[in-house]
Amino acid sequence: MLAKRIIPCLDCDLQVPNGRVVKGVEFKQIRYAGDPVELATRYYEDGADEIVFLDITASHERRETMTHVIEATTENVFVPICVGGGIRKPEDYVKMLKAGADKCSTNTAAIKNPDLINEASELVGSQACVVAIDAKRRYIDSPRESDERFIIEVDDGYCWYECSIYGGREFTGIDAINWAMECQERGAGEILLTSMDRDGTKEGYDIPLTRTMSQNLDIPVIASGGVGRPEHIYEAFTNGMADAALAASIFHFNEYPVPVVKEYLRSMGVPVRI
Amino acid sequence: MIAIIDYGSGNLRSISNAFRRIGADALVTSSSKTMDEADAIVLPGVGAFGSAMEKLEESRETILENIGEGKPFLGICLGLQVLLDESQESPGVRGLGLVPGRVLRIPPGNKVPHMGWNQLIIKRDSQLLDGVDDEYFYFVHSYHAEPEGDVVSATTDYGIEMTAVIEKDNIHATQFHPEKSGEAGLDILRNFTGIIKA
């Protein structure tokens, strides 16, 4: 049976030589967490199923630094690597794949230019094209209020989910579930779904969001944003129907190392690779 | 020396890094001369069947000759699928035809691609799979191979039982990516280098 994947995420600030891993809270406050290559290697040795590098600075010259980080990492890390941030053109995918990455994730560039997904998936294959969606709850009074949006019942009412771009700084009016379905149609191989409401809170993933997304897609969904305890990951895999779970700070600050999370999941009957 | 065939497709750095990690001498190349001189040939690959065959056209004869002479060969992912006659992914395109059979779309019911870590169901003794028990390997594919004859050494369960490892004489091929499958994957590559030396 296919195992559920545990994916540590490294948010990288590349303004310093060799980069450094940072962690934000609700897309804002920043804490320093370590060296990207060292952390990735540690997670590999701990049994991470995949590793995501997110360039939170994402300017043109810093992409060179990311290329070096990927090259150095893949000398010793033999699990899939995904790179996000600053991926704007099909050539960017090729460049990162040449450096040793297996997948590239794009958010803002895909919303601004959806054809990028078609072009990139034709060029490097769907399996390498991850679309990241940063989704924010928008509460409404009545479930009948909307036309084409996905209205979801949550514990404190009804809401739809709006896609955000530029690292949470701008909102688009686009419904996250509809957008994900379009991405799948255009050739995306996977959706990296972050709840902006939960990110950094340690209150758990947004389960209604994750579940609705997974039910409406044929491609894998990675749950992201809000994990504080292994139980949250269990929730994402069971009620949330996620295929993979992404987490940052619980791993960086050694609150729950990867083996601890996996042992817990296995004891709860979730198939994981140990 | 192991020749890793570069036909402009996919992540070749990972496979050469993996061989370097286990102490094997591997070279990424598109030169027929280097392939002829090599002790073994590795055909990696991601992307579509049709475009891969198009890019492989130049190396086609060299690959067939070397395999025909008995040189150990390892195909990975799409490098397994192109061994067959044809694929639903690219109708009308001729594969290498070294293993009779077809490549079919993974049927609906499960998410496609089959992406992630899965275990093997061992079908017969195989030096390539020596030591493999309940380890997980990394798969990512939307099509699966249905070869004819007794060539499947292992399968994997994804709703249906799909081909995971094909072996026929000196031809070895894995649907999963040993270079992305952690230590269990590196062990498969070690086993392959053992086959080369044997």
Side-chain angles (χ1 to χ4, degrees):
Chain A
M1 199 200 295
L2 193 67
K4 298 288 189 182
R5 286 172 283 154
I6 301 293
I7 308 178
C9 177
L10 307 176
D11 290 337
C12 297
D13 167 12
L14 302 173
Q15 295 179 86
V16 297
N18 304 320
R20 61 179 174 182
V21 178
V22 297
K23 181 58 200 158
V25 177
E26 285 182 57
F27 281 63
K28 284 167 198 140
Q29 300 165 340
I30 299 285
R31 264 213 286 178
Y32 174 55
D35 174 77
V37 179
E38 272 174 32
L39 269 177
T41 308
R42 192 181 94 202
Y43 295 147
Y44 167 67
E45 287 165 357
D46 273 359
D49 296 312
E50 195 166 323
I51 294 167
V52 172
F53 289 88
L54 219 48
D55 171 5
I56 58 161
T57 37
S59 71
H60 199 73
E61 57 280 10
R62 282 162 201 155
R63 231 165 304 155
E64 297 298 324
T65 314
M66 184 56 104
T67 309
H68 298 314
V69 167
I70 299 303
E71 284 175 354
T73 299
T74 50
E75 280 182 22
N76 296 305
V77 170
F78 300 101
V79 293
I81 302 287
C82 175
V83 181
I87 307 290
R88 297 191 184 106
K89 303 186 295 289
E91 303 90 273
D92 296 332
Y93 288 75
V94 173
K95 198 172 167 191
M96 287 303 171
L97 265 48
K98 281 218 166 104
D102 301 276
K103 311 174 181 183
C104 288
S105 154
T106 180
N107 176 355
T108 309
I111 285 191
K112 293 266 172 188
N113 170 26
D115 288 340
L116 174 64
I117 305 169
N118 305 64
E119 290 162 17
S121 63
E122 270 165 40
L123 188 64
V124 296
S126 283
Q127 84 294 332
C129 295
V130 181
V131 175
I133 297 178
D134 292 340
K136 176 111 181 135
R137 283 187 181 187
R138 296 300 182 201
Y139 287 93
I140 53 170
D141 296 331
S142 145
R144 291 169 187 277
E145 196 172 300
S146 165
D147 30 1
E148 280 165 13
R149 286 170 180 155
F150 275 80
I151 305 299
I152 299 165
E153 188 174 4
V154 293
D155 47 13
D156 51 354
Y158 293 93
C159 70
W160 64 284
Y161 288 87
E162 183 176 8
C163 292
S164 167
I165 53 175
Y166 296 117
R169 290 189 293 274
E170 197 175 295
F171 289 91
T172 60
I174 297 169
D175 179 87
I177 315 280
N178 277 328
W179 168 235
M181 290 165 70
E182 182 182 337
C183 293
Q184 170 177 299
E185 198 67 25
R186 288 175 175 275
E190 202 165 21
I191 298 293
L192 167 49
L193 177 63
T194 301
S195 158
M196 297 186 62
D197 304 278
R198 294 300 180 90
D199 196 58
T201 63
K202 296 187 176 289
E203 287 170 10
Y205 298 100
D206 188 327
I207 298 299
L209 168 65
T210 309
R211 182 186 179 86
T212 310
M213 191 62 94
S214 194
Q215 280 175 328
N216 281 284
L217 295 180
D218 297 320
I219 54 176
V221 173
I222 306 169
S224 159
V227 63
R229 289 182 281 122
E231 290 84 344
H232 295 149
I233 296 180
Y234 175 76
E235 273 285 295
F237 287 152
T238 50
N239 289 340
M241 299 171 71
D243 300 282
L246 182 132
S249 56
I250 66 162
F251 299 137
H252 299 340
F253 302 111
N254 248 321
E255 293 160 28
Y256 297 97
V258 175
V260 170
V261 171
K262 285 196 166 184
E263 287 292 349
Y264 168 77
L265 291 167
R266 176 171 277 189
S267 76
M268 297 295 285
V270 175
V272 285
R273 177 184 72 110
I274 293 185
Chain B
M1 178 265 297
I2 299 166
I4 301 168
I5 303 178
D6 177 5
Y7 55 107
S9 147
N11 175 353
L12 299 172
R13 181 183 288 268
S14 294
I15 181 74
S16 66
N17 281 343
F19 276 115
R20 186 182 311 137
R21 171 71 168 246
I22 63 166
D25 176 21
L27 192 66
V28 173
T29 182
S30 55
S31 138
S32 296
K33 189 166 169 288
T34 309
M35 288 180 230
D36 287 340
E37 287 165 3
D39 304 312
I41 289 178
V42 174
L43 184 63
V46 287
F49 190 92
S51 66
M53 285 315 303
E54 196 178 303
K55 290 174 191 155
L56 269 175
E57 196 49 51
E58 253 175 68
S59 313
R60 185 184 184 108
E61 285 312 311
T62 308
I63 295 170
L64 293 177
E65 275 171 28
N66 276 287
I67 291 178
E69 285 164 13
K71 193 173 279 187
F73 172 93
L74 178 64
I76 296 173
C77 195
L78 189 64
L80 173 146
Q81 299 187 355
V82 296
L83 293 171
L84 283 80
D85 296 318
E86 57 178 344
S87 171
Q88 280 184 342
E89 185 173 19
S90 310
V93 175
R94 192 167 56 111
L96 291 173
L98 289 162
V99 175
R102 304 173 65 212
V103 181
L104 308 174
R105 175 91 183 163
I106 295 176
N110 274 307
K111 291 195 174 181
V112 177
H114 171 224
M115 182 189 280
W117 298 78
N118 213 329
Q119 290 165 306
L120 303 185
I121 302 162
I122 306 288
K123 293 294 180 184
R124 58 177 189 183
D125 272 350
S126 151
Q127 203 181 334
L128 189 72
L129 302 177
D130 188 30
V132 174
D133 181 16
D134 57 356
E135 288 82 2
Y136 283 85
F137 296 91
Y138 188 76
F139 289 81
V140 49
H141 58 120
S142 302
Y143 294 80
H144 68 108
E146 285 212 337
E148 293 161 17
D150 186 22
V151 295
V152 176
S153 296
T155 58
T156 191
D157 173 16
Y158 190 58
I160 58 163
E161 208 175 324
M162 296 189 296
T163 301
V165 178
I166 289 177
E167 289 182 284
K168 186 184 175 192
D169 304 321
N170 51 317
I171 297 173
H172 309 269
T174 62
Q175 181 60 65
F176 58 85
H177 287 268
E179 79 282 14
K180 286 288 165 185
S181 294
E183 298 302 315
L186 295 179
D187 283 341
I188 299 278
L189 297 180
R190 279 191 195 97
N191 289 345
F192 181 64
T193 60
I195 290 169
I196 300 170
K197 285 180 195 132

